[in-house]
Amino acid sequence: ANISVAILEMKPQYGWTPVQEGIVMGGYLYGYVLSGVIGGACADRVGGSAILQIGVAGWSLFTILTPLCAPYGIFSVVLCRALMGLFEGLCFPSVHAIIGVHIPGRWLSLVTAIATAASYVGTIVGYWGSDVVLQFAKWPWCFYIFGGLGFVWIA
């Protein structure tokens, strides 16, 4: 969500066209779409908790690196965002693997619905939080703060 808010300041700073803006916005999905099945297979093999931690650590790292890549051109930003998406794509199947192992059968649907809803709440908080950050700091801080929170969460 932070890219959706920060790009409003990134676009004029780097002179991106609307097409380039769209490519940057899609960067996350280029990686995300590739990793869901991989994440599920890995979570089944080694455990959802381990893969979830790897996913959060990777996505947090590439979130923090996004503003550091921006001065090097659009390709570096798209690559960074794709790698972020690749790691984040590991997380959803990992959460489902954790639920499948630890939640009794009669509660599976409810807990899965809560986990899914929580991911959407996280997106809303990300939009809101990025906007708040931009009221007090420059756009790179949207990435530094949210990436740092990911590392705090796995610590």
Side-chain angles (χ1 to χ4, degrees):
N2 50 12
I3 189 77
S4 299
V5 176
I7 203 161
L8 299 174
E9 293 190 19
M10 296 169 75
K11 183 179 167 185
Q13 181 175 340
Y14 296 109
W16 294 338
T17 66
V19 170
Q20 290 172 315
E21 178 184 5
I23 292 168
V24 168
M25 295 293 288
Y28 163 84
L29 292 173
Y30 306 144
Y32 187 86
V33 74
L34 297 174
S35 60
V37 173
I38 296 166
C42 291
D44 286 342
R45 182 170 225 174
V46 301
S49 184
I51 300 304
L52 180 60
Q53 288 181 350
I54 291 167
V56 173
W59 120 45
S60 297
L61 173 66
F62 287 106
T63 297
I64 290 168
L65 291 177
T66 298
L68 302 175
C69 290
Y72 296 101
I74 193 168
F75 176 77
S76 64
V77 175
V78 171
L79 178 62
C80 189
R81 300 296 296 170
L83 290 168
M84 182 204 147
L86 187 76
F87 280 98
E88 190 165 343
L90 300 175
C91 297
F92 219 81
S94 297
V95 168
H96 288 278
I98 293 166
I99 291 169
V101 169
H102 297 286
I103 302 301
R106 66 188 177 120
W107 296 102
L108 282 175
S109 294
L110 176 62
V111 173
T112 301
I114 291 169
T116 302
S119 72
Y120 299 129
V121 170
T123 300
I124 293 166
V125 170
Y127 281 121
W128 176 81
S130 294
D131 189 50
V132 169
V133 169
L134 284 177
Q135 302 303 313
F136 300 100
K138 295 190 181 284
W139 67 265
W141 284 98
C142 293
F143 298 93
Y144 301 147
I145 290 170
F146 282 97
L149 287 173
F151 283 114
V152 168
W153 185 82
I154 60 174

